[in-house]
Coordinates of all heavy atoms in Angstrom, one line a residue:
M2 N 107.2 125.4 111.5 CA 107.9 124.3 112.0 C 108.3 124.5 113.4 O 108.6 125.6 113.8 CB 109.1 124.0 111.0 CG 108.7 123.7 109.6 SD 109.5 122.4 108.7 CE 109.9 121.0 109.6
V3 N 108.4 123.4 114.1 CA 108.9 123.3 115.5 C 110.3 122.8 115.5 O 110.6 121.8 114.7 CB 107.9 122.5 116.4 CG1 108.4 122.5 117.8 CG2 106.5 123.0 116.2
T4 N 111.2 123.2 116.3 CA 112.4 122.7 116.5 C 112.5 122.1 117.8 O 112.1 122.6 118.9 CB 113.6 123.7 116.3 OG1 113.4 124.3 115.0 CG2 115.0 123.1 116.5
G5 N 113.1 120.9 118.0 CA 113.3 120.2 119.2 C 114.5 119.3 119.2 O 115.2 119.2 118.3
T6 N 114.6 118.6 120.4 CA 115.6 117.7 120.6 C 115.2 116.3 120.8 O 114.2 116.2 121.6 CB 116.6 118.1 121.8 OG1 117.0 119.5 121.6 CG2 117.7 117.2 122.0
V7 N 115.8 115.3 120.2 CA 115.2 113.9 120.4 C 115.6 113.5 121.8 O 116.7 113.5 122.3 CB 115.9 112.9 119.4 CG1 115.5 111.5 119.7 CG2 115.7 113.4 118.0
K8 N 114.5 113.1 122.5 CA 114.6 112.8 123.9 C 114.9 111.3 124.0 O 115.6 110.8 124.9 CB 113.3 113.2 124.6 CG 113.3 113.1 126.0 CD 112.0 113.6 126.6 CE 111.9 113.6 128.1 NZ 110.6 114.1 128.4
F9 N 114.2 110.5 123.1 CA 114.3 109.1 123.2 C 113.8 108.6 121.8 O 112.9 109.1 121.3 CB 113.3 108.6 124.3 CG 112.9 107.2 124.1 CD1 113.6 106.2 124.7 CD2 111.6 106.9 123.6 CE1 113.2 104.8 124.5 CE2 111.2 105.6 123.4 CZ 111.9 104.6 123.9
F10 N 114.5 107.6 121.2 CA 114.0 106.9 120.1 C 114.5 105.4 120.1 O 115.7 105.1 120.3 CB 114.5 107.6 118.8 CG 113.8 107.0 117.6 CD1 112.5 107.5 117.2 CD2 114.4 106.0 116.8 CE1 111.9 106.9 116.2 CE2 113.7 105.5 115.7 CZ 112.3 105.9 115.4
N11 N 113.5 104.6 120.0 CA 113.9 103.1 120.0 C 113.5 102.5 118.7 O 112.5 102.3 118.3 CB 113.0 102.4 121.1 CG 113.4 100.9 121.3 OD1 113.5 100.2 120.4 ND2 113.5 100.6 122.5
I12 N 114.6 102.2 118.0 CA 114.4 101.6 116.6 C 113.7 100.4 116.6 O 112.9 100.0 115.8 CB 115.8 101.6 115.8 CG1 115.6 101.2 114.4 CG2 116.7 100.5 116.5 CD1 115.2 102.3 113.5
D13 N 113.9 99.5 117.7 CA 113.2 98.1 117.7 C 111.7 98.3 117.9 O 110.9 97.6 117.3 CB 113.8 97.3 118.9 CG 115.3 97.0 118.7 OD1 115.6 96.8 117.4 OD2 116.1 96.9 119.6
K14 N 111.3 99.3 118.7 CA 109.9 99.6 118.9 C 109.3 100.4 117.9 O 108.1 100.5 117.7 CB 109.6 100.2 120.3 CG 110.0 99.1 121.5 CD 109.6 99.7 122.8 CE 110.0 98.7 123.8 NZ 109.7 99.1 125.2
G15 N 110.1 101.2 117.2 CA 109.7 102.1 116.0 C 109.1 103.4 116.5 O 108.3 103.9 115.7
Y16 N 109.4 103.9 117.6 CA 108.9 105.2 118.0 C 109.8 105.9 119.0 O 110.7 105.3 119.6 CB 107.5 105.1 118.6 CG 107.4 104.5 120.0 CD1 107.6 105.3 121.1 CD2 107.3 103.1 120.1 CE1 107.5 104.7 122.4 CE2 107.2 102.5 121.4 CZ 107.4 103.3 122.5 OH 107.4 102.8 123.8
G17 N 109.5 107.2 119.2 CA 110.2 107.9 120.2 C 109.6 109.3 120.5 O 108.4 109.5 120.1
F18 N 110.3 110.1 121.2 CA 109.7 111.4 121.5 C 110.7 112.5 121.3 O 112.0 112.4 121.5 CB 109.3 111.4 123.0 CG 108.2 110.5 123.3 CD1 108.3 109.2 123.7 CD2 106.8 110.9 123.1 CE1 107.3 108.4 123.8 CE2 105.8 110.1 123.3 CZ 106.1 108.8 123.7
I19 N 110.2 113.7 120.9 CA 111.1 114.9 120.7 C 110.6 116.0 121.6 O 109.4 116.2 121.8 CB 110.9 115.4 119.2 CG1 111.3 114.3 118.2 CG2 111.8 116.7 119.0 CD1 110.9 114.7 116.8
Q20 N 111.5 116.5 122.4 CA 111.3 117.6 123.3 C 111.4 119.0 122.6 O 112.5 119.3 122.2 CB 112.1 117.5 124.5 CG 111.9 118.6 125.5 CD 112.8 118.4 126.7 OE1 113.8 117.7 126.7 NE2 112.4 119.0 127.8
P21 N 110.2 119.7 122.4 CA 110.3 120.9 121.6 C 111.0 122.1 122.5 O 110.9 122.1 123.7 CB 108.9 121.3 121.5 CG 108.1 120.6 122.5 CD 108.9 119.4 122.8
E22 N 111.7 122.9 121.8 CA 112.4 124.0 122.4 C 111.4 125.1 123.1 O 111.8 125.8 123.9 CB 113.3 124.8 121.4 CG 114.4 124.0 120.9 CD 115.3 124.7 119.8 OE1 114.8 125.7 119.3 OE2 116.5 124.4 119.6
N23 N 110.2 125.2 122.5 CA 109.3 126.1 123.0 C 108.6 125.7 124.3 O 107.8 126.5 124.9 CB 108.2 126.3 122.0 CG 107.3 125.2 121.7 OD1 107.3 124.3 122.5 ND2 106.5 125.3 120.5
G24 N 109.1 124.6 124.9 CA 108.6 124.2 126.2 C 107.2 123.5 126.3 O 106.7 123.1 127.4
S25 N 106.5 123.3 125.1 CA 105.3 122.6 125.0 C 105.6 121.1 125.3 O 106.7 120.6 125.5 CB 104.5 122.8 123.8 OG 105.4 122.4 122.7
G26 N 104.5 120.3 125.3 CA 104.7 118.9 125.6 C 105.5 118.0 124.5 O 105.6 118.6 123.4
D27 N 106.1 117.0 124.9 CA 106.9 116.2 124.0 C 106.0 115.7 122.9 O 104.8 115.5 123.0 CB 107.4 115.0 124.8 CG 108.4 115.3 125.8 OD1 108.9 116.5 125.8 OD2 108.8 114.4 126.6
A28 N 106.6 115.6 121.6 CA 106.0 115.2 120.5 C 106.4 113.7 120.1 O 107.5 113.3 120.2 CB 106.4 116.0 119.3
F29 N 105.3 112.8 120.0 CA 105.5 111.5 119.6 C 106.0 111.5 118.1 O 105.6 112.3 117.3 CB 104.2 110.8 119.7 CG 104.2 109.4 119.2 CD1 104.7 108.3 120.0 CD2 103.8 109.0 117.9 CE1 104.7 107.0 119.6 CE2 103.9 107.7 117.4 CZ 104.3 106.7 118.3
V30 N 106.9 110.6 117.9 CA 107.5 110.4 116.5 C 107.5 108.9 116.1 O 108.0 108.1 116.9 CB 108.8 111.1 116.3 CG1 109.9 110.6 117.1 CG2 109.3 111.0 114.8
H31 N 107.0 108.5 115.0 CA 106.9 107.1 114.6 C 107.9 106.9 113.5 O 108.4 107.8 112.8 CB 105.5 106.8 114.1 CG 105.3 105.4 113.8 ND1 105.4 104.8 112.6 CD2 104.8 104.4 114.6 CE1 105.2 103.5 112.6 NE2 104.9 103.2 113.9
I32 N 108.4 105.7 113.4 CA 109.5 105.3 112.6 C 109.0 105.6 111.1 O 109.9 106.0 110.2 CB 109.9 103.8 112.6 CG1 111.0 103.4 111.7 CG2 108.6 102.8 112.3 CD1 112.3 104.1 112.2
S33 N 107.8 105.6 110.8 CA 107.4 105.9 109.4 C 107.7 107.3 109.0 O 108.0 107.6 107.9 CB 105.9 105.6 109.3 OG 105.1 106.4 110.1
A34 N 107.6 108.2 110.0 CA 107.9 109.7 109.7 C 109.3 109.8 109.5 O 109.8 110.6 108.7 CB 107.4 110.5 110.8
V35 N 110.1 109.0 110.3 CA 111.6 109.1 110.2 C 112.0 108.6 108.8 O 112.8 109.3 108.1 CB 112.2 108.2 111.3 CG1 113.8 108.2 111.1 CG2 111.9 108.8 112.7
E36 N 111.4 107.5 108.4 CA 111.9 106.9 107.1 C 111.4 107.8 105.9 O 112.1 108.0 104.9 CB 111.3 105.5 107.0 CG 111.9 104.5 107.9 CD 111.2 103.2 107.9 OE1 110.1 103.1 107.6 OE2 111.9 102.2 108.4
R37 N 110.2 108.4 106.0 CA 109.7 109.3 105.0 C 110.7 110.5 104.9 O 110.9 111.1 103.8 CB 108.3 109.8 105.3 CG 107.2 108.9 104.8 CD 105.9 109.6 104.8 NE 105.5 110.1 106.1 CZ 104.9 109.4 107.1 NH1 104.5 108.2 106.9 NH2 104.5 110.0 108.2
A38 N 111.4 110.8 106.0 CA 112.3 112.0 105.9 C 113.7 111.5 105.4 O 114.6 112.3 105.3 CB 112.5 112.6 107.3
G39 N 113.8 110.3 105.0 CA 115.0 109.8 104.4 C 116.1 109.3 105.6 O 117.3 109.2 105.2
M40 N 115.6 109.2 106.7 CA 116.6 108.8 107.8 C 116.2 107.4 108.3 O 115.1 107.0 108.0 CB 116.4 109.8 109.0 CG 116.7 111.2 108.8 SD 116.6 112.3 110.2 CE 115.1 113.3 109.6
S41 N 117.2 106.8 108.8 CA 117.0 105.3 109.3 C 116.6 105.4 110.8 O 115.9 104.4 111.2 CB 118.1 104.4 109.0 OG 119.3 105.0 109.6
T42 N 117.1 106.3 111.5 CA 116.8 106.4 113.0 C 117.0 107.8 113.4 O 117.5 108.7 112.7 CB 117.8 105.4 113.8 OG1 117.3 105.3 115.2 CG2 119.2 105.8 113.7
L43 N 116.8 108.0 114.7 CA 117.1 109.4 115.4 C 117.9 109.0 116.6 O 117.8 108.0 117.2 CB 115.8 110.0 115.8 CG 114.8 110.4 114.8 CD1 113.5 110.9 115.4 CD2 115.3 111.4 113.8
D44 N 118.8 109.9 116.8 CA 119.8 109.8 118.0 C 119.4 110.7 119.1 O 118.9 111.8 118.8 CB 121.2 110.1 117.5 CG 121.7 109.2 116.4 OD1 121.4 108.0 116.5 OD2 122.3 109.7 115.4
K45 N 119.7 110.3 120.3 CA 119.3 111.0 121.4 C 120.1 112.3 121.3 O 121.3 112.3 120.9 CB 119.7 110.3 122.7 CG 119.5 111.0 124.0 CD 119.9 110.1 125.2 CE 119.8 110.7 126.5 NZ 118.9 111.9 126.8
D46 N 119.4 113.5 121.8 CA 120.1 114.8 121.7 C 120.2 115.3 120.3 O 120.7 116.4 120.1 CB 121.4 114.9 122.4 CG 121.2 114.5 123.9 OD1 120.2 114.9 124.4 OD2 122.1 114.0 124.5
Q47 N 119.7 114.7 119.2 CA 119.8 115.2 117.9 C 118.8 116.3 117.7 O 117.5 116.1 118.3 CB 119.5 114.0 116.9 CG 119.4 114.4 115.4 CD 119.1 113.2 114.5 OE1 119.1 112.1 115.0 NE2 119.0 113.5 113.3
R48 N 119.1 117.4 117.0 CA 118.1 118.5 116.9 C 117.4 118.2 115.6 O 117.9 118.0 114.5 CB 118.9 119.8 116.8 CG 119.4 120.2 118.2 CD 120.1 121.6 118.2 NE 119.7 122.6 117.3 CZ 118.7 123.4 117.6 NH1 118.1 123.3 118.7 NH2 118.3 124.4 116.7
I49 N 116.1 118.4 115.6 CA 115.1 118.0 114.5 C 114.1 119.2 114.4 O 113.7 119.7 115.5 CB 114.4 116.7 114.8 CG1 115.4 115.6 114.8 CG2 113.2 116.5 113.9 CD1 115.8 115.1 113.4
S50 N 113.8 119.6 113.2 CA 112.6 120.4 113.0 C 111.5 119.5 112.4 O 111.8 118.6 111.7 CB 113.0 121.5 111.9 OG 114.0 122.3 112.5
Y51 N 110.3 119.9 112.8 CA 109.1 119.0 112.5 C 107.9 119.8 112.5 O 107.8 120.9 113.0 CB 109.1 117.8 113.3 CG 108.8 118.2 114.8 CD1 107.6 118.2 115.4 CD2 110.0 118.5 115.6 CE1 107.5 118.6 116.7 CE2 109.8 118.8 116.9 CZ 108.6 119.0 117.5 OH 108.4 119.3 118.9
E52 N 106.8 119.2 111.9 CA 105.4 119.8 112.0 C 104.6 118.7 112.8 O 105.0 117.6 112.9 CB 104.9 120.0 110.6 CG 105.6 121.0 109.9 CD 105.0 121.0 108.3 OE1 104.2 120.2 108.0 OE2 105.5 122.0 107.7
L53 N 103.5 119.3 113.4 CA 102.6 118.4 114.2 C 101.5 118.1 113.4 O 100.9 119.0 112.7 CB 102.3 119.0 115.5 CG 103.4 119.1 116.5 CD1 102.9 119.9 117.8 CD2 103.9 117.7 117.0
E54 N 101.0 116.9 113.4 CA 99.8 116.4 112.7 C 99.0 115.4 113.5 O 99.7 114.5 114.2 CB 100.3 115.8 111.3 CG 99.2 115.2 110.5 CD 99.9 114.8 109.2 OE1 100.2 115.5 108.3 OE2 100.0 113.5 109.0
A55 N 97.8 115.4 113.4 CA 96.9 114.4 114.1 C 97.0 113.1 113.4 O 96.9 113.0 112.2 CB 95.5 114.9 114.2
D56 N 97.3 112.0 114.1 CA 97.4 110.7 113.6 C 96.0 110.1 113.6 O 95.0 110.7 113.8 CB 98.5 109.8 114.4 CG 98.0 109.5 115.8 OD1 96.8 109.7 116.1 OD2 98.9 108.9 116.5
K57 N 96.0 108.8 113.1 CA 94.7 108.1 113.1 C 93.8 108.0 114.2 O 92.7 108.0 114.3 CB 94.9 106.7 112.5 CG 95.5 106.7 111.1 CD 95.9 105.3 110.7 CE 96.8 105.3 109.5 NZ 97.5 104.1 109.3
R58 N 94.5 108.1 115.4 CA 93.8 108.0 116.7 C 93.5 109.4 117.3 O 92.9 109.5 118.4 CB 94.7 107.2 117.7 CG 95.0 105.9 117.3 CD 96.2 105.3 118.1 NE 97.4 106.0 117.8 CZ 98.4 106.2 118.7 NH1 98.4 105.7 119.8 NH2 99.4 106.9 118.3
G59 N 93.9 110.5 116.5 CA 93.6 111.8 117.0 C 94.7 112.4 117.9 O 94.5 113.5 118.4
K60 N 95.8 111.6 118.1 CA 96.9 112.1 118.8 C 97.9 112.8 118.0 O 98.0 112.6 116.7 CB 97.7 110.9 119.4 CG 96.8 109.9 120.2 CD 96.8 110.3 121.7 CE 96.0 109.3 122.5 NZ 95.8 109.6 123.8
M61 N 98.6 113.8 118.5 CA 99.5 114.6 117.7 C 100.8 113.9 117.6 O 101.5 113.4 118.5 CB 99.7 116.0 118.4 CG 98.4 116.8 118.5 SD 97.6 117.0 116.8 CE 98.7 118.3 116.1
S62 N 101.3 113.9 116.3 CA 102.6 113.2 116.1 C 103.5 114.2 115.2 O 103.0 115.0 114.5 CB 102.4 111.9 115.1 OG 101.7 111.0 116.0
A63 N 104.8 114.0 115.4 CA 105.8 114.8 114.5 C 105.9 114.2 113.2 O 105.9 113.0 113.0 CB 107.2 114.7 115.2
V64 N 105.7 115.1 112.1 CA 105.9 114.6 110.7 C 106.8 115.6 110.0 O 107.1 116.6 110.6 CB 104.5 114.6 110.0 CG1 103.6 113.4 110.7 CG2 103.7 115.8 110.1
N65 N 107.1 115.4 108.7 CA 107.9 116.2 107.9 C 109.2 116.6 108.6 O 109.6 117.8 108.7 CB 107.1 117.5 107.5 CG 105.9 117.1 106.8 OD1 105.9 116.3 105.9 ND2 104.9 117.9 106.9
L66 N 109.9 115.6 109.1 CA 111.1 115.9 109.9 C 112.3 116.4 109.1 O 112.4 116.0 107.9 CB 111.7 114.5 110.6 CG 110.6 113.7 111.4 CD1 111.2 112.4 111.9 CD2 110.2 114.6 112.5
Q67 N 113.1 117.2 109.6 CA 114.3 117.7 108.9 C 115.4 117.9 110.0 O 115.1 118.3 111.2 CB 114.0 119.1 108.3 CG 113.0 119.0 107.1 CD 112.7 120.4 106.6 OE1 113.2 121.4 107.1 NE2 111.8 120.6 105.7
Q68 N 116.6 117.8 109.6 CA 117.8 118.0 110.5 C 117.7 119.5 110.8 O 117.5 120.4 109.8 CB 119.1 117.7 109.7 CG 119.3 116.2 109.5 CD 119.7 115.5 110.7 OE1 119.9 116.0 111.8 NE2 119.9 114.2 110.6
A69 N 117.9 119.9 112.0 CA 117.8 121.3 112.4 C 119.3 121.9 112.4 O 120.2 121.2 112.6 CB 117.2 121.5 113.7

């Protein structure tokens, strides 16, 4: 699992980005992954642990979110 900090999340648009602690590129996160984790939204600067998975378009997305 990767741990990072929520950089941005827009509930109206249904997506955001998490900045990983390891310095790699920001991870896209979709509202569906947030809801599957039992959360309704993500807050800026919230610490999250997650896994990366290729989405339908082949882009990497954060999944299996957990409070860090």
